[in-house]
């Protein structure tokens, strides 16, 4: 059992790191500790290296994004849920790649391996809901969709973000076609 204050410290550290890294990917561990209002010992007890902290921030973000699927499906039709969810995923992937310099190739591999299953499960839930209501093609594959979204987070985001337009094309391709 982890004490409640230890859980709160970890959550504060993750929130502070997420904000700090979004502003400046070179933020130091000491800056994160100060921002979180904890001592260096508390920070390093939870995250012994900067890489461990970056990985935890990313994993926390994936968990958050995956966890939004039920609410999105309850509030919007499947294709709209997929659009909202994918935009959120694209933003998270762009942030992750902004931190890329802080991660070793092994850490990049670990991120991919840890997040692939939950992300595929989330995509599957949304696609299955659309297949069930007839709005999404029955041959839509979550792995294919994930691979296509890789182009979205690599797309130029300035001067104009091309990802929403590209996503619209992908979603149009997923729409179930009326039977002729």
């Amino acid at each position: 059992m982890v004490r409640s204050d230890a859980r709160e410290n970890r959550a504060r550290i993750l929130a502070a790191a997420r904000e700090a890294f979004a502003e400046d990917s070179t933020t130091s561990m000491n800056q994160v500790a100060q921002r979180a209002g904890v001592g260096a010992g508390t920070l390093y007890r939870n995250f012994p290296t900067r890489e461990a902290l970056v990985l935890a921030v990313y994993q926390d973000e994936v968990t958050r994004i995956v966890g939004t699927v039920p609410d999105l499906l309850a509030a919007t039709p499947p294709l709209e849920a997929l659009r909202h969810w994918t935009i959120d995923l694209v933003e998270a992937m762009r942030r992750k790649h902004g931190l890329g310099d802080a991660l070793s190739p092994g850490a990049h591999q670990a991120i991919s391996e840890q997040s692939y299953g939950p992300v595929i499960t989330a995509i599957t839930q949304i696609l299955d809901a659309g297949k069930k209501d007839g709005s999404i093609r029955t041959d839509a594959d979550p792995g294919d969709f994930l691979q296509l979204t890789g182009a979205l987070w690599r797309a130029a985001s300035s001067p104009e973000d091309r990802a929403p337009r590209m996503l619209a094309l992908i979603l149009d391709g997923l729409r179930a076609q009326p039977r002729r």
Side-chain angles (χ1 to χ4, degrees):
M1 292 271 299
V2 178
R3 295 184 346 227
S4 64
D5 61 332
R7 279 192 310 271
E8 290 168 11
N9 284 341
R10 182 177 171 83
R12 275 202 322 272
I13 293 167
L14 286 172
R18 182 180 304 104
E19 291 172 8
F21 292 151
E23 294 169 10
D24 179 5
S25 64
T26 64
T27 299
S28 72
M29 293 286 276
N30 286 335
Q31 289 170 318
V32 171
Q34 288 174 344
R35 191 175 199 144
V38 300
T42 299
L43 173 66
Y44 284 101
R45 197 170 26 260
N46 282 279
F47 306 100
T49 65
R50 187 170 191 280
E51 188 169 270
L53 178 58
V54 171
L55 286 169
V57 166
Y58 180 73
Q59 191 60 41
D60 191 56
E61 186 75 355
V62 168
T63 300
R64 182 195 64 76
I65 292 167
V66 167
T68 65
V69 170
D71 288 341
L72 282 170
L73 286 173
T76 60
L79 274 170
E80 188 63 17
L82 187 58
R83 186 180 72 73
H84 286 290
W85 186 86
T86 303
I87 288 169
D88 203 11
L89 179 66
V90 166
E91 288 305 313
M93 294 302 286
R94 284 178 174 167
R95 283 190 298 272
K96 179 193 104 170
H97 282 274
L99 298 173
D101 294 340
L103 299 177
S104 67
H108 278 286
Q109 182 67 27
I111 283 174
S112 296
E113 289 173 1
Q114 290 173 2
S115 60
Y116 183 81
V119 168
I120 287 293
T121 298
I123 295 168
T124 299
Q125 289 174 322
I126 299 172
L127 292 180
D128 285 351
K131 290 174 186 180
K132 184 177 178 183
D133 79 1
S135 63
I136 293 179
R137 305 164 52 135
T138 59
D139 64 343
D141 179 80
D144 293 346
F145 182 80
L146 182 58
Q147 192 160 9
L148 286 167
T149 61
L152 300 177
W153 53 261
R154 289 181 188 100
S157 59
S158 62
E160 176 190 1
D161 188 357
R162 298 179 59 182
R165 217 172 47 245
M166 293 168 63
L167 178 57
L169 292 170
I170 294 168
L171 294 177
D172 280 348
L174 284 174
R175 288 186 201 284
Q177 301 300 314
R179 292 201 170 147
R180 295 179 185 174

